[in-house]
Amino acid sequence: MIIYRATKKQFVTDVFNNTIADNIDEAFYEHLGRHTSPNEVRSWQNSMQYMSRVVNTPELPDDTGVAIEYQIPLTAKRVDFIVSGLNSQKREQLVIIELKQWENAEPTPKPGVVVTKFQHGKAEVAHPSYQAWSYAYMLQNYNMTIQERGVDICPCAYLHNYAPDGMINGKLYEDYVVKAPVFLKNDAARLQDYILRYVRYCSPEDVLWKIDNGKLRPSKQLADSLTSMLRGNEEFMMLDDQKVVYESAVYLAEKAQQGKKQVLIVEGGPGTGKSVLAINLLVNLTAEGIASQYVTKNSAPRAVYSVKLSGSFKKTYIDNLFVGSGTFTETMPDTMGALIVDEAHRLNLKSGLFSNKGENQIKEIIKTARFSVFFVDDCQRIHMKDIGSVQSIKQYAEEMGADVHLEHLSSQFRCNGSDGFLSWLDNALQIRETANIRLTAEDYDFRIYDSPTEMFEEVKRRNQANNKSRVVAGYCWDWNSKQNHAAYDIVIPQFGFRKQWNFNSNEPWLIGEKSIDQIGCIHTCQGLELDYVGVIVGPDLTYKNNRVVTDGFKRSPNDQSLKGFKAMVRKNPTEALQSADAIIKNTYRTLMTRGMKGCYVYFCDKALAEHFRELMAEKPSKEPTVRIEPVVNDDVKYIDFLPVYSMKAACGYFGEGEDYSELGWIRVEGMGKLNRNMFVVQACGHSMEPRINDGDFCVFRINPAGSRQGKIMLVQHRNYYDADNAGAYSIKEYSSVKSYDEFGSWQHEKIELKPLNRDYNSIIITPEDGDEFQVVGELVGVL
């Protein structure tokens, strides 16, 4: 997603008119439904003045593309500035520029990490060259348009307030500066030369638009990459705070082998890459000769990893690398060089099946290893016995005489890379108040279903692509199938919905070939990720008197998460209810953040469903928002009302084919001044979701003059079949590839009619189709 896109000429004009920061902020609001921070607006105001002077040269064509704040696919990270065009060999080229307002920085002993000053004080951050290079790597590896078109990417960093000091671009960071040069306070001319070295001509096509709307490579999942990682291959690029945390952990691990015990606590929410970092540390510390193990309380990730690694490594090797948190009750001090604890919020006081072994899992881990790192999220505590909070780990580590270090992860790699969705979810569940009170379609594919059957079938359809989508539920239904394998567990009778829990599976539910028909719970998916997750929110979570209300008594007695809750209510009801409230909300927060691409939800409580809908940018209405009138007075036609046609009729009538009559008239508001060149058709199918949904009424303008590139058009294509519309008519995004001769004349090489829903295929129109293809109208808006 690009926040601001323009030509070089327009960008320079916006800066000259002193509107650039406002323009970017308005575009930010348009895309994300919220304004950014005043600090970021001020940084745009400042940095864009410098960039305008750099690109404002006659040697760089006026139509050269400029993009500001491009969000890297599948992450929450944004590239500050991009220049696009053609190089001297007429190849498509991007120059990406990481902008910094730093005035100075200090070196660290950690590769690719420096210290600089922010408003809140000094902090360790990734070196600007590493940052720019890693962003380029992510773009190159995840954007299929860049790969297919062979677009070259050249990264660099521009620190326009930083006086030369021989450090930031010196020998210490030479490996990274070679990959992405650093330009400092007096280097505007050098940066200009760098850009001109790679961008000499403007492209006849809008390269930035194609990249922004291009297909993405399927996102990697940790479980699928384990074998390669254990063999020493780098499968995941570490960005920004990930890089800092990783290098800090390696540094402390090496330091601990020769001296005082070191403990690192890494706090991070869902999808911030905690597990990826943990596996990377396991691999690299082991390679350095530091005896290391990966530790989790939850057995589900270990079971999945074991299956994925079987056949490539011996079982004894796998079992020695991946162990449970109750393994260390009787181990001697400093037996291990490093213990890497994932999902540390799930650690318990006691170990063993009956919780009768050991003293304290946190203390036993710290005792066993010279270096221990705890990856923790306090908001994923989902069991009464969970003790692994940031505060408790810090307290125990200090009591045991260890040096304690705290780091934080914020980079988002799940939920479409949307920090906005996570903040919105916290606000919707009333876990904490956030500024994200509205969710937009661009944030994340989040849908609310009125039927669990419809939701389940949609997730099942998504699962057909790669077996990486599942449905989960709150533990509000008894495990009947444990005793009777033919019995059903999750039963919602008014919809005829009947499913079993997944516990009787012979293979890990997350990767089982047939487990899509079973429902998972928090215990079988925490610490793991899916492409799409469906969530059934049970009666333990409701909405009353403007509050999200939890009820621990609605949980199944088979669920161990609230074991002891009823006894606690009798002794201390306030503490018991508060504890249950946190566990239930954390459970659903965790379930709803398992999906990398989408989350579909059915709420048993209708009031809660309506509460969530109220917080979505486009609130679904219970009644139709438009009404077709069979007849209206002539004096309101094309003033307040537009004619409605079937898609076939519109293509026949406005395409100057057969003369079809209208189906009726619809009142149209909010589309500007109406005229006789405008009409309405009803969309069919799901190919243009989320912008156009099945059944939406769409206002079109008869094919206007000018470029159609990137616009949504109504077209007819007699040689092709559109499954959505069961015929030769389509509403699709228009994209064309043109070729030019030596005289500057052009012709279409092909026209691509692109769906917005990636589950559908494009329709390719070639020059041979000739009169069998015509554009009828351009989308004005959706009623």
Side-chain angles (χ1 to χ4, degrees):
M1 177 182 66
I2 294 175
I3 299 297
Y4 172 97
R5 188 173 85 240
T7 62
K8 181 208 88 174
K9 182 178 180 180
Q10 183 61 54
F11 166 70
V12 171
T13 300
D14 287 347
V15 174
F16 180 79
N17 291 332
N18 203 29
T19 62
I20 186 65
D22 292 336
N23 291 349
I24 301 172
D25 189 39
E26 286 303 317
F28 194 95
Y29 182 82
E30 181 181 340
H31 280 286
L32 301 177
R34 60 185 183 276
H35 290 286
T36 188
S37 68
N39 283 341
E40 190 163 27
V41 174
R42 284 192 291 270
S43 72
W44 289 331
Q45 187 70 45
N46 187 16
S47 294
M48 297 312 150
Q49 302 286 336
Y50 290 93
M51 284 309 305
S52 177
R53 292 195 284 270
V54 169
V55 300
N56 191 16
T57 169
E59 295 182 74
L60 195 66
D62 283 346
D63 289 337
T64 299
V66 167
I68 298 171
E69 301 295 350
Y70 170 59
Q71 184 171 332
I72 301 171
L74 309 175
T75 80
K77 297 302 178 182
R78 303 197 302 265
V79 177
D80 290 333
F81 201 93
I82 303 177
V83 180
S84 73
L86 303 179
N87 61 20
S88 56
Q89 287 79 43
K90 300 295 180 71
R91 287 173 57 90
E92 290 175 332
Q93 185 82 49
L94 299 182
V95 176
I96 71 172
I97 304 164
E98 181 63 26
L99 298 171
K100 299 292 185 191
Q101 300 199 62
W102 302 356
E103 294 183 358
N104 50 62
E106 301 169 13
T108 75
K110 305 169 186 177
V113 177
V114 298
V115 172
T116 193
K117 187 176 181 180
F118 297 96
Q119 287 186 339
H120 59 271
K122 291 184 177 181
E124 291 185 340
V125 294
H127 188 283
S129 290
Y130 177 88
Q131 192 175 6
W133 170 71
S134 64
Y135 287 1
Y137 177 94
M138 293 292 288
L139 281 175
Q140 196 79 55
N141 278 270
Y142 284 100
N143 192 297
M144 291 181 67
T145 301
I146 289 175
Q147 296 172 9
E148 292 169 356
R149 296 176 71 90
V151 180
D152 292 328
I153 304 178
C154 294
C156 64
Y158 185 26
L159 284 62
H160 47 74
N161 296 328
Y162 197 113
D165 62 358
M167 188 280 294
I168 197 74
N169 55 357
K171 283 282 186 183
L172 190 61
Y173 298 104
E174 185 176 18
D175 290 347
Y176 302 106
V177 174
V178 168
K179 297 172 181 176
V182 178
F183 299 97
L184 305 179
K185 186 175 183 178
N186 302 321
D187 290 338
R190 289 183 57 237
L191 175 57
Q192 189 178 86
D193 290 342
Y194 180 82
I195 294 171
L196 291 171
R197 189 188 315 166
Y198 299 106
V199 178
R200 300 296 300 181
Y201 308 99
C202 61
S203 173
E205 301 179 66
D206 192 339
V207 179
L208 288 173
W209 180 89
K210 286 184 172 294
I211 290 171
D212 195 23
N213 292 272
K215 293 181 179 178
L216 302 181
R217 251 185 76 185
S219 53
K220 291 180 183 178
Q221 292 191 359
L222 175 60
D224 296 331
S225 305
L226 269 179
T227 300
S228 178
M229 292 173 72
L230 289 180
R231 286 175 173 158
N233 297 315
E234 188 174 38
E235 289 288 333
F236 294 90
M237 171 60 65
M238 289 176 287
L239 301 181
D240 299 351
D241 46 6
Q242 283 189 318
K243 172 70 171 174
V244 173
V245 170
Y246 173 79
E247 296 297 352
S248 296
V250 172
Y251 172 78
L252 292 174
E254 293 172 346
K255 180 180 180 181
Q257 304 314 305
Q258 306 300 325
K260 193 176 181 182
K261 194 181 289 287
Q262 304 290 322
V263 171
L264 174 63
I265 303 171
V266 182
E267 187 177 11
T272 50
K274 298 187 297 293
S275 296
V276 167
L277 270 174
I279 298 296
N280 269 322
L281 282 172
L282 175 69
V283 172
N284 288 285
L285 293 181
T286 302
E288 290 185 16
I290 299 174
S292 306
Q293 288 180 322
Y294 174 98
V295 182
T296 58
K297 159 69 170 61
N298 191 2
S299 63
R302 287 183 277 119
V304 171
Y305 298 165
S306 181
V307 171
K308 290 288 186 179
L309 294 170
S310 63
S312 300
F313 299 95
K314 292 181 179 179
K315 188 175 185 303
T316 51
Y317 174 79
I318 298 170
D319 291 345
N320 189 53
L321 281 182
F322 301 93
V323 299
S325 57
T327 307
F328 310 102
T329 57
E330 298 179 1
T331 53
M332 297 296 292
D334 298 336
T335 302
M336 301 296 299
L339 289 178
I340 302 152
V341 188
D342 203 1
E343 305 289 322
H345 36 267
R346 295 300 323 279
L347 294 174
N348 291 170
L349 197 66
K350 300 282 188 175
S351 301
L353 184 62
F354 302 103
S355 299
N356 58 350
K357 294 183 178 180
E359 176 193 358
N360 178 304
Q361 289 187 350
I362 297 172
K363 295 171 70 174
E364 288 157 4
I365 287 168
I366 295 171
K367 177 197 72 175
T368 299
R370 293 183 177 276
F371 168 67
S372 49
V373 52
F374 296 86
F375 292 94
V376 61
D377 178 5
D378 284 351
C379 288
Q380 287 195 57
R381 174 178 175 262
I382 55 90
H383 198 293
M384 298 287 275
K385 293 183 179 179
D386 292 349
I387 65 166
S389 67
V390 172
Q391 183 58 41
S392 62
I393 296 170
K394 182 175 183 292
Q395 177 184 332
Y396 290 132
E398 289 174 345
E399 288 176 0
M400 298 178 70
D403 284 343
V404 182
H405 310 265
L406 291 136
E407 295 283 359
H408 186 81
L409 287 171
S410 59
S411 300
Q412 179 51 238
F413 297 91
R414 200 182 291 156
C415 304
N416 197 34
S418 174
D419 290 321
F421 171 70
L422 295 177
S423 294
W424 175 84
L425 185 59
D426 282 349
N427 192 74
L429 289 170
Q430 295 178 355
I431 292 174
R432 63 186 177 97
E433 289 188 3
T434 71
N436 300 77
I437 59 172
R438 287 287 181 271
L439 181 71
T440 68
E442 290 188 3
D443 280 318
Y444 185 50
D445 185 6
F446 182 84
R447 306 182 194 180
I448 298 171
Y449 285 78
D450 293 323
S451 162
T453 304
E454 290 181 12
M455 184 268 285
F456 186 89
E457 290 303 318
E458 179 60 22
V459 174
K460 194 170 182 179
R461 185 180 72 82
R462 296 283 189 180
N463 187 64
Q464 292 173 359
N466 55 10
N467 192 33
K468 292 181 180 178
S469 299
R470 294 290 187 275
V471 176
V472 297
Y475 209 154
C476 298
W477 291 269
D478 293 345
W479 185 7
N480 300 318
S481 61
K482 180 179 183 179
Q483 304 299 330
N484 178 4
H485 292 353
Y488 290 98
D489 304 314
I490 303 95
V491 178
I492 307 176
Q494 63 268 37
F495 297 98
F497 185 82
R498 302 186 304 171
K499 298 293 176 184
Q500 290 184 332
W501 289 117
N502 67 283
F503 298 112
N504 288 321
S505 301
N506 294 321
E507 56 186 339
W509 166 77
L510 188 90
I511 58 177
E513 291 297 327
K514 297 180 180 179
S515 60
I516 180 61
D517 289 315
Q518 297 174 321
I519 304 293
C521 71
I522 187 65
H523 307 299
T524 49
C525 71
Q526 190 172 25
L528 297 166
E529 59 192 14
L530 298 156
D531 274 1
Y532 291 89
V533 64
V535 182
I536 298 174
V537 178
D540 58 341
L541 197 71
T542 58
Y543 191 73
K544 298 174 183 177
N545 301 321
N546 297 319
R547 298 301 303 166
V548 176
V549 179
T550 59
D551 186 349
F553 294 100
K554 297 288 183 160
R555 282 287 186 98
S556 166
N558 297 131
D559 180 23
Q560 298 295 304
S561 299
L562 292 181
K563 188 175 181 180
F565 166 67
K566 293 181 181 179
M568 188 186 295
V569 168
R570 291 191 292 269
K571 293 180 181 179
N572 190 334
T574 300
E575 181 183 346
L577 293 174
Q578 288 177 345
S579 182
D581 183 75
I583 286 171
I584 292 171
K585 288 182 177 179
N586 288 349
T587 296
Y588 286 115
R589 178 183 187 264
T590 303
L591 293 177
M592 289 187 198
T593 54
R594 297 305 93 190
M596 297 180 72
K597 298 179 180 179
C599 173
Y600 305 153
V601 185
Y602 168 75
F603 294 94
C604 289
D605 181 62
K606 301 307 176 190
L608 185 61
E610 189 59 28
H611 162 66
F612 270 73
R613 282 190 171 121
E614 289 282 352
L615 298 179
M616 297 177 73
E618 296 179 6
K619 176 189 170 186
S621 175
K622 295 179 181 178
E623 299 295 331
T625 57
V626 293
R627 175 179 168 184
I628 300 178
E629 303 288 351
V631 179
V632 296
N633 294 333
D634 288 342
D635 59 352
V636 297
K637 291 180 179 178
Y638 303 104
I639 297 174
D640 298 309
F641 287 81
L642 288 178
V644 187
Y645 294 87
S646 69
M647 202 167 291
K648 180 179 180 182
C651 288
Y653 185 79
F654 293 101
E656 299 179 355
E658 299 178 51
D659 190 359
Y660 293 93
S661 61
E662 67 271 1
L663 299 174
W665 296 80
I666 281 182
R667 178 182 290 276
V668 175
E669 298 174 337
M671 301 289 174
K673 188 176 180 180
L674 308 183
N675 59 60
R676 291 184 176 273
N677 289 327
M678 299 170 74
F679 60 94
V680 178
V681 299
Q682 189 171 20
C684 179
H686 304 278
S687 65
M688 295 301 287
E689 291 177 348
R691 182 167 180 183
I692 301 175
N693 296 305
D694 185 25
D696 280 351
F697 288 90
C698 303
V699 178
F700 285 86
R701 182 185 296 111
I702 298 173
N703 189 21
S707 173
R708 301 165 181 163
Q709 192 79 334
K711 297 177 180 177
I712 294 178
M713 314 297 288
L714 171 63
V715 299
Q716 183 176 18
H717 40 75
R718 297 183 182 89
N719 289 344
Y720 299 88
Y721 179 87
D722 189 314
D724 252 357
N725 303 298
Y729 319 101
S730 288
I731 298 174
K732 295 287 186 289
E733 189 173 271
Y734 184 102
S735 176
S736 69
V737 177
K738 300 173 183 176
S739 60
Y740 292 78
D741 62 21
E742 58 184 342
F743 303 106
S745 299
W746 61 269
Q747 64 177 4
H748 287 298
E749 286 188 3
K750 69 173 182 178
I751 294 170
E752 184 177 2
L753 305 177
K754 301 169 62 175
L756 299 184
N757 186 338
R758 295 176 187 144
D759 290 337
Y760 289 74
N761 295 322
S762 295
I763 295 172
I764 305 298
I765 307 296
T766 62
E768 290 73 29
D769 293 307
D771 294 336
E772 300 302 307
F773 168 76
Q774 60 182 352
V775 175
V776 178
E778 175 189 347
L779 180 71
V780 178
V782 178
L783 296 179

